[in-house]
Amino acid sequence: MVHWLVCLVCVLSGINSHGGQPLSNWFTFSANLNGGYENTAFSESGHNAALVQWDSRAEIWLPPFNTNFSWGPYLRFAGIASTKNPTTSWFENAWLAAPGVGFQMYPFSFAQFRDPDSLVGKIFGPVRLFGEYNRQDYWGSANTWRPKEQIRAGMEYWRARSVNETSEPFWSEFWTGCYYQSANDFTSDYDTVVFANSLRVGARFPKRGTLSNISPYIVVDSSYTGHPTYYWENRFDVGAGIRFAPSSESFPEWTKLVELNRLVMFAEVVHRAYYYHSPASSVPNYEVQAGISCSLGPWYR
């Protein structure tokens, strides 16, 4: 970790002296942050926990730099924390990347795909290929046996449209990922491919002042792995929600410093079904969440 930080400082110290490249062409910080309340967990109803989740990357872009082709190493910091006891709720009290080290590439980021008329760029521009090594730490003395290392490698795709553009009648957020994962919270020999998706699509009354900030939406989430016994990882959710998403033009001036580009407050409920087999009848088949979510930098493309 120290070696990586030293390299980062060295690179940044010479940014403005190398070809006049602006800072954002060499280095970006991107993050996705969520905080709020959830009513259920994977094994109990009435879970009633407040929790915060974060995933962030400090990214270095190698020549020909971020405006011509996006590829390079990064440091990843990710975790989850809740009001529940880590002994019984280890899955929501952990450093998931403390830190992680990775390498990424956006294969459709060449100049020709950045052209506004490029259909390939519009569709495939957010495709991200990555490989990373993460250090993990599940909190509490009862969890010291849990895996400390994890390798992930594969593809993911984050895309958002008109989330905070209140002049547009529709908005959407989409993520999909297909990647190899070496460990989960139970075993270091997890070794499987994960295929997961998340979609939210909503509608608003455009150009109606405060009313345009409010929109109902539908939710479709899915997760599928090669381990049938982990039922909570092999599920399909469908539901609905409502969110408050102010216009990006109303964001405070200071948010430009952290490159805040997505901010929503939400409440949603989903019904849950399982791909392989259903768990015990005591396990709830629904989930209720409410909270706030935001993104910084080029997290969504």
Side-chain angles (χ1 to χ4, degrees):
M1 176 181 174
V2 173
H3 175 73
W4 272 81
L5 292 176
V6 171
C7 290
L8 177 61
V9 171
C10 292
V11 169
L12 294 180
S13 65
I15 283 175
N16 292 323
S17 63
H18 185 91
Q21 292 290 334
L23 178 66
S24 60
N25 286 5
W26 282 80
F27 173 80
T28 56
F29 177 80
S30 61
N32 194 42
L33 313 170
N34 297 277
Y37 157 86
E38 67 175 11
N39 176 256
T40 60
F42 298 122
S43 60
E44 61 179 355
S45 58
H47 187 62
N48 297 327
L51 75 162
V52 178
Q53 303 176 68
W54 62 94
D55 198 346
S56 60
R57 295 191 298 265
E59 304 162 315
I60 297 175
W61 304 108
L62 301 177
F65 311 113
N66 194 26
T67 56
N68 297 290
F69 183 69
S70 301
W71 71 305
Y74 61 90
L75 285 177
R76 179 180 179 229
F77 296 89
I80 183 170
S82 80
T83 55
K84 290 295 185 178
N85 189 326
T87 299
T88 56
S89 295
W90 69 91
F91 52 87
E92 52 189 12
N93 289 282
W95 280 106
L96 302 177
V101 179
F103 196 92
Q104 63 184 342
M105 175 190 300
Y106 289 86
F108 297 95
S109 61
F110 287 105
Q112 61 265 38
F113 299 129
R114 297 173 187 260
D115 189 298
D117 296 327
S118 172
L119 181 61
V120 173
K122 289 179 180 178
I123 297 175
F124 297 106
V127 171
R128 172 178 177 260
L129 306 180
F130 71 96
E132 64 187 31
Y133 166 83
N134 295 309
R135 291 290 301 176
Q136 298 179 311
D137 180 17
Y138 291 89
W139 303 339
S141 58
N143 296 311
T144 56
W145 62 271
R146 298 187 186 278
K148 301 295 185 184
E149 301 174 295
Q150 181 193 75
I151 295 173
R152 297 169 70 240
M155 178 279 295
E156 68 176 6
Y157 182 107
W158 292 84
R159 186 154 213 170
R161 283 289 176 265
S162 305
V163 174
N164 291 100
E165 297 175 20
T166 56
S167 61
E168 298 295 328
F170 302 103
W171 60 267
S172 63
E173 296 172 346
F174 178 63
W175 171 80
T176 186
C178 184
Y179 52 89
Y180 163 80
Q181 185 169 307
S182 67
N184 69 351
D185 51 342
F186 283 103
T187 175
S188 298
D189 299 320
Y190 185 67
D191 293 329
T192 194
V193 173
V194 177
F195 179 57
N197 309 272
S198 181
L199 173 68
R200 280 155 180 77
V201 178
R204 62 166 67 96
F205 291 107
K207 302 178 182 178
R208 299 286 185 86
T210 302
L211 180 61
S212 299
N213 297 338
I214 303 170
S215 61
Y217 63 95
I218 61 172
V219 181
V220 181
D221 289 339
S222 174
S223 176
Y224 188 86
T225 77
H227 290 283
T229 54
Y230 299 134
Y231 64 85
W232 57 90
E233 296 179 348
N234 294 278
R235 67 185 193 276
F236 180 83
D237 298 343
V238 60
I242 189 165
R243 68 166 46 173
F244 181 88
S247 169
S248 57
E249 297 178 356
S250 68
F251 289 179
E253 189 68 21
W254 64 265
T255 61
K256 294 180 180 178
L257 297 176
V258 294
E259 296 187 61
L260 177 70
N261 50 54
R262 173 183 163 275
L263 175 65
V264 303
M265 287 162 276
F266 68 94
E268 64 185 38
V269 58
V270 299
H271 175 79
R272 178 161 295 160
Y274 298 90
Y275 285 117
Y276 289 115
H277 57 79
S278 297
S281 59
S282 60
V283 176
N285 61 356
Y286 70 95
E287 185 172 61
V288 178
Q289 294 189 47
I292 185 169
S293 178
C294 68
S295 298
L296 311 177
W299 187 270
Y300 279 92
R301 293 278 167 160

